[in-house]
Amino acid sequence: MKNCYEVHCKGGHVGTAYYFPMTLFIEADSKKEAAQIARYTPRVKHDHKDCILCVSQISREELLAGRRRNRADGYYCSKSKRDMLYKCPDYMERIVPETRRNPRETEETTLPLSFRNRKKYENRYLQPLNGENRWGEL
């Protein structure tokens, strides 16, 4: 017999620096299987290691009530970003800033691994122009 689980996970399609806290109601044999099913559900940030926030066992009545709530919510039933904006206009109040740091968004500019003239690259593209154009004229 399958058990009922409530899985809290990070939902996507709201930007890389944010996530939508999703609650999925899943029937599975174990918590591990419920987390695996939730990870590959549409709209979940499944490429994140920490996309599953918590898994807890619930009763059958809570599972059915939760699924009804999710069907009424515009975020869960939308098929695209545009559809989500139409069905869920209050999604901006419900999103949460991402806790993990994206390695692509570093404060320091990273240089390519190999290029011909490193000094020329740093001088031309990484240093500010200080109000002058490329040839030193104002």
Side-chain angles (χ1 to χ4, degrees):
M1 179 171 174
K2 295 196 176 216
N3 297 321
C4 303
Y5 294 99
E6 178 181 35
V7 183
H8 296 275
C9 50
K10 294 181 178 183
H13 303 287
V14 290
T16 56
Y18 300 96
Y19 71 89
F20 190 91
M22 293 177 69
T23 305
L24 300 175
F25 299 92
I26 297 172
E27 289 182 273
D29 293 328
S30 65
K31 285 185 175 185
K32 189 174 183 178
E33 185 184 346
Q36 187 177 10
I37 292 169
R39 177 179 288 274
Y40 295 105
T41 302
R43 303 190 75 82
V44 172
K45 290 193 171 193
H46 54 268
D47 57 335
H48 289 214
K49 288 181 190 176
D50 59 344
C51 73
I52 305 298
L53 301 173
C54 110
V55 180
S56 57
Q57 191 168 0
I58 57 173
S59 68
R60 181 96 176 135
E61 293 78 32
E62 290 173 321
L63 175 103
L64 297 174
R67 284 185 176 175
R68 269 187 248 116
R69 273 195 315 270
N70 283 357
R71 267 190 246 115
D73 192 354
Y75 180 81
Y76 294 97
C77 61
S78 60
K79 301 291 183 197
S80 65
K81 174 89 173 185
R82 184 177 180 187
D83 196 22
M84 180 186 69
L85 293 172
Y86 177 72
K87 291 181 180 178
C88 186
D90 65 335
Y91 85 96
M92 285 300 285
E93 291 103 34
R94 296 166 63 186
I95 61 174
V96 178
E98 185 69 62
T99 53
R100 80 175 197 154
R101 186 174 172 86
N102 190 348
R104 285 181 273 167
E105 296 173 1
T106 58
E107 293 165 7
E108 300 173 5
T109 307
T110 56
L111 298 176
L113 293 176
S114 64
F115 48 85
R116 252 175 123 174
N117 192 341
R118 182 181 186 94
K119 195 68 169 172
K120 184 177 177 182
Y121 182 85
E122 289 174 357
N123 289 337
R124 277 197 183 164
Y125 302 109
L126 298 182
Q127 293 179 356
L129 295 175
N130 300 329
E132 300 175 352
N133 69 8
R134 189 172 176 193
W135 295 277
E137 302 168 354
L138 289 175

